[in-house]
Amino acid sequence: MNELLLTYFIVINIVGVGMMYRDKQKAKRHEWRIAESTLWTVAAIGGALGGLIGMYCYRHKTKHTSFTVGFPILAALDLLFFFVLSVKILERGFSSE
């Protein structure tokens, strides 16, 4: 179970980075963009850290207060949730032995 959680966390954050990269590329070419609601949805389901990394690596959405404040808060919550859930899973594993 812990490996599945870690895999999910890694994959959703790679998706978050990739979406920021892709949206920045689309913005440069004046193409149809990824909806902000989609970026927020990925962040809300665990990809905020990846979105935050992508935001600053590609200098994308860094002038939007909602992103510069909201994504770090969500990233902190994601990390806290991941840590707490991992500890609970490990404790459950140790107590059954």
Side-chain angles (χ1 to χ4, degrees), residues 71-85:
F71 268 46
I73 291 170
L74 278 177
L77 291 173
D78 287 348
L79 288 169
L80 180 65
F81 176 76
F82 177 75
F83 176 75
V84 168
L85 196 57

Side-chain angles (χ1 to χ4, degrees), residues 84-95:
V84 168
L85 196 57
S86 294
V87 167
K88 289 195 180 291
I89 290 170
L90 288 173
E91 285 175 350
R92 192 176 312 146
F94 287 131
S95 66

Side-chain angles (χ1 to χ4, degrees), residues 19-64:
M19 287 179 67
M20 283 295 185
Y21 173 77
R22 185 73 179 125
D23 195 46
K24 178 67 175 191
Q25 297 307 308
K26 287 176 170 256
K28 287 180 180 178
R29 292 190 297 261
H30 305 286
E31 294 177 350
W32 195 263
R33 308 274 301 280
I34 296 171
E36 286 188 357
S37 62
T38 303
L39 297 173
W40 279 106
T41 300
V42 169
I45 62 171
L49 182 60
L52 185 63
I53 290 167
M55 214 169 80
Y56 286 102
C57 282
Y58 307 118
R59 288 189 265 161
H60 188 54
K61 302 283 187 194
T62 56
K63 293 183 180 179
H64 297 260

Side-chain angles (χ1 to χ4, degrees), residues 10-20 42:
I10 291 169
V11 169
I12 197 67
N13 281 287
I14 289 170
V15 169
V17 171
M19 287 179 67
M20 283 295 185
V42 169

